[in-house]
Amino acid sequence: NFFIDKGLIDLAVTRTSFDWGIKVPFDPKHVIYVWIDALPNYLTALGYGGDNDRNYKKYWACDMHVMAKEIVRFHSIVWPAILMALEVPLPKRVYGHGWITFGGDKMSKSKGNVVDPFVLTDRYGVDALRYYLLSSMPFGEDSSYTSELLLSTINNDIVNDLGNLVRRTLAMSKQYFDGKVKKPTDNELTAADRDYIAAIDGLLSGVRADIDKPELNKALEKIFGVIDLSNKYIDANKPWELNKTGDTARLNVVMYDLLESIRVVANLLLPFLTKYPRRIFD
């Protein structure tokens, strides 16, 4: 509103009130305004204006330009003005993310209330930290970091839910079928099977819609909802008892459905996590 309520006015691209910065070649009293200096790096980093602009042609215009909420106005007013002057396409979307707060305050280097991500990833792994940040902190809103919530999220979701599902299912499929199961026919499926399969099949469209909004925490919520359903499917069908009674046909249906759920879930986790899905595929 600071810009818009006044009406559109020209923006001075230099400053004379201080001397730090890039001096204007034809008038050394002026230095380039820091945002005019900084913003074009998005283009020049991709090779714009250079001898090799292959990456610029491949990646620009970006689908979504993400930055901290306090600098949205520079990226949604000053930056587009520069791009339009250059006759360069604008970013398709501009999105301002919130702050990570710690003890009720915004994390900042000046306050010293920061949590070192390298220490956390050394201790818990990069995927655990990524999952915590993406699942527990709604995209675009301020969110509070606590070590307690990080640990409980990792233990409950990653270790207990996802880890147990994969470990139990793969172990049983190897034990009962040497890791090879057959796709069941429709007449072998129960009503509960069909409901479970529908939840798996519907996951992709729901996750895509949430990513497009973008509501990344809700996308992960949907994925882990199917993981929870899968663990309940194991408990309800008790594959170990089916094996004990020799009901091989029913056991095959259950194991096939579980393995399919893991395949779908692991694929949909690839945009969020760097290592766990690939370990599942291995």
Side-chain angles (χ1 to χ4, degrees):
N1 288 343
F2 174 80
F3 283 98
I4 295 168
D5 288 349
K6 290 183 181 180
L8 291 175
I9 56 174
D10 292 342
L11 175 73
V13 300
T14 66
R15 295 291 185 268
T16 57
S17 53
F18 46 83
D19 61 2
W20 58 267
I22 298 174
K23 288 186 167 40
V24 176
F26 52 83
D27 190 340
K29 294 178 184 176
H30 286 255
V31 294
I32 302 296
Y33 177 39
V34 66
W35 282 103
I36 304 297
D37 169 16
L39 289 164
N41 281 284
Y42 293 118
L43 292 181
T44 56
L46 296 174
Y48 174 84
D51 294 332
N52 184 354
D53 62 356
R54 182 174 64 252
N55 283 335
Y56 165 72
K57 289 176 179 175
K58 179 178 180 180
Y59 292 111
W60 198 268
C62 65
D63 290 313
M64 184 162 69
H65 205 144
V66 183
M67 80 295 302
K69 63 181 181 179
E70 70 268 28
I71 54 174
V72 165
R73 67 175 180 170
F74 300 103
H75 289 78
S76 57
I77 297 177
V78 177
W79 182 220
I82 295 171
L83 292 173
M84 286 189 282
L86 293 170
E87 298 184 347
V88 169
L90 307 185
K92 296 169 189 174
R93 298 176 75 183
V94 177
Y95 202 98
H97 66 71
W99 294 330
I100 300 176
T101 61
F102 188 60
D105 286 333
K106 172 192 172 186
M107 273 196 197
S108 71
K109 289 179 288 186
S110 57
K111 290 183 179 180
N113 62 340
V114 295
V115 179
D116 190 334
F118 292 102
V119 172
L120 293 177
T121 53
D122 286 344
R123 187 173 298 163
Y124 304 113
V126 67
D127 273 13
L129 182 59
R130 285 170 67 102
Y131 176 75
Y132 168 71
L133 292 172
L134 292 168
S135 65
S136 302
M137 300 186 171
F139 202 58
E141 299 177 21
D142 291 351
S143 301
S144 176
Y145 169 86
T146 70
S147 298
E148 294 79 8
L149 185 55
L150 168 65
L151 288 173
S152 66
T153 301
I154 294 171
N155 286 329
N156 292 336
D157 296 1
I158 299 294
V159 178
N160 293 340
D161 293 347
L162 177 60
N164 277 336
L165 170 64
V166 173
R167 186 165 53 249
R168 289 198 292 173
T169 302
L170 294 182
M172 288 188 291
S173 73
K174 288 175 184 175
Q175 180 184 346
Y176 304 149
F177 294 101
D178 195 26
K180 300 172 185 176
V181 294
K182 297 177 181 178
K183 185 174 183 178
T185 60
D186 284 345
N187 60 6
E188 292 180 285
L189 302 177
T190 67
D193 293 335
R194 289 189 173 88
D195 289 343
Y196 177 46
I197 292 167
I200 298 168
D201 290 346
L203 192 55
L204 175 61
S205 61
V207 168
R208 276 183 171 161
D210 285 336
I211 289 176
D212 286 343
K213 285 179 184 176
E215 293 178 344
L216 306 184
N217 60 311
K218 290 186 178 178
L220 282 168
E221 192 176 297
K222 286 183 173 65
I223 295 170
F224 275 77
V226 167
I227 291 170
D228 182 55
L229 272 180
S230 299
N231 281 313
K232 289 175 179 174
Y233 187 75
I234 293 177
D235 296 338
N237 287 281
K238 298 180 174 58
W240 51 91
E241 290 190 3
L242 294 172
N243 181 61
K244 193 181 296 183
T245 60
D247 193 349
T248 307
R250 179 63 192 158
L251 181 59
N252 178 81
V253 172
V254 171
M255 297 311 304
Y256 182 92
D257 290 347
L258 287 168
L259 288 166
E260 180 67 354
S261 77
I262 291 172
R263 183 188 72 81
V264 171
V265 160
N267 271 289
L268 291 178
L269 284 174
L270 281 170
F272 302 96
L273 307 179
T274 62
K275 295 180 179 179
Y276 293 156
R278 300 187 191 283
R279 284 173 62 188
I280 292 170
F281 294 141
D282 289 341

